[in-house]
Every structure is written in C-alpha cells, then in structure tokens.
Amino acid sequence: MKLDINSIIKTIGASVSFEISDRLEVLDSGIGTVTFTGPVAVKGTATCFNRMIEVKGEAQVRYRTFCDRCGEALERHLTVPFDEKIIERAEEDQDTSMEDDDLFTYTGHYIDLGRIAANAILLNLPMQHLCGEDCGGLCPTCGKKLNGSDCGCEDSQVIDPRLESLKGYFKNN
Ligand SMILES: [Zn+2]
Ligand SMILES: [Zn+2]
C-alpha cells in the first residue's frame, strides 16, 4: 500500500490526499483470537515539511473474534486514527536493513501506508471483547448463556466459597 508523494516532495507545505483499500499481508495471521477479514481501508492527507512528511488519517478494518466470557462469535469494525511524521532516509543508508527502525522513514518518493496502518491497528486493537457489557458468561451447570435470562438452574447456583468450606468442616468432623 504505497503512496506516491512525488507531487509534494519538493514543495514545503504541499499536500496530497489519499484513499486506498488493500489487503495487508502482515495482518493475515491475525492476533490471538482476532482474525482480520477483508482489506484495510486508509484515507487521509500527506503534507510535505522539510525532509519530513506528515501523514494524517484513519485506517479501518473488520475482524472476527469471540466474546471473552461466553465465546460467542463476534464481528467487529475498527477505525483507528494515525498521525505520523515520516522522515526521509538518505539513499546510502538503504542497504543497512533496519526492519523495525525504518517504520517511519521513507526513501525515494514513496511512503508505505500499509505499515503505518498496520501499526495503528495493532496498537489500538481492544484487549477485551464482550458480546455485550452485561454478558454474564455461561452457566456452569447447563452451559447456557447468562445474559439476564434465567436458564432454570437455580438449585445449583454456585455456592459461596465460605459456605463451601463450612460444608467440608461439618463433613470431616
Ligand atoms: Zn458474551
Ligand atoms: Zn443453567
């Protein structure tokens, strides 16, 4: 997902807007239980400063995951902003491979929007996923989802651990 900045690279203050949608290989394997579905869409503006390009915009992606409490399959849509300063890296430095260090540098007249987008997505991916704020997980007895609904297992409610130990006490004595 490359952005050609040739038209702005010589003029401080010049900017170019972009709107690109593409698959990002780096996201193909997913993260944990998150599987990215469909392409990543980026839109924004690149502005030229002195040997530095400011890239502002947002990235959007869809993904599948599961509720952390009840395991229900979820489809989510994530929109994350980015605002990065991409510094020009001299041609002679190109051979030294700095896979991570060169994340926010450019050489020639292309900026790799894919790396910027992937970085923003991975940094902003929620750590927790719930099908709803009130998800009560699954009933330990019947396995039904407990979202305020009564599954009919009242008799086997989880026993207060303090009572549980008392029960053992009486049994053993
Ligand atoms: Zn749930
Ligand atoms: Zn139940």
Side-chain angles (χ1 to χ4, degrees):
M1 198 188 277
K2 299 238 188 276
L3 175 68
D4 190 339
I5 51 169
N6 204 28
S7 63
I8 62 166
I9 209 162
K10 298 277 193 304
T11 318
I12 290 172
S15 67
V16 62
S17 58
F18 53 84
E19 192 163 350
I20 307 174
S21 183
D22 205 355
R23 188 181 132 242
L24 292 186
E25 235 170 84
V26 67
L27 299 180
D28 276 355
S29 50
I31 304 291
T33 58
V34 168
T35 310
F36 295 97
T37 55
V40 175
V42 295
K43 61 177 178 186
T45 314
T47 307
C48 180
F49 290 88
N50 188 21
R51 292 169 67 85
M52 188 269 279
I53 306 288
E54 187 185 63
V55 184
K56 265 188 198 180
E58 61 177 36
Q60 292 189 30
V61 71
R62 288 175 183 283
Y63 62 92
R64 272 193 220 110
T65 188
F66 303 94
C67 174
D68 290 340
R69 290 193 194 139
C70 71
E72 187 181 297
L74 306 173
E75 297 242 9
R76 290 285 154 96
H77 188 245
L78 183 70
T79 302
V80 295
F82 53 79
D83 182 354
E84 302 295 349
K85 290 167 175 58
I86 317 296
I87 296 156
E88 183 177 16
R89 183 146 60 96
E91 296 280 345
E92 59 265 27
D93 296 338
Q94 270 195 81
D95 292 336
T96 54
S97 62
M98 300 185 290
E99 269 299 305
D100 292 320
D101 291 355
D102 67 359
L103 179 55
F104 298 120
T105 62
Y106 71 93
T107 41
H109 56 92
Y110 287 99
I111 279 182
D112 190 348
L113 288 177
R115 303 181 82 163
I116 298 170
N119 187 63
I121 289 166
L122 297 179
L123 282 176
N124 290 287
L125 200 62
M127 300 293 283
Q128 197 189 36
H129 290 97
L130 295 177
C131 60
E133 281 299 316
D134 60 345
C135 178
L138 301 176
C139 169
T141 307
C142 70
K144 265 191 191 153
K145 216 172 131 177
L146 299 174
N147 277 2
S149 59
D150 186 2
C151 62
C153 294
E154 265 159 313
D155 292 341
S156 47
Q157 284 293 333
V158 180
I159 300 165
D160 186 312
R162 287 164 298 177
L163 295 178
E164 185 79 274
S165 63
L166 271 181
K167 223 168 77 177
Y169 175 85
F170 288 124
K171 202 186 284 169
N172 296 330
N173 292 276

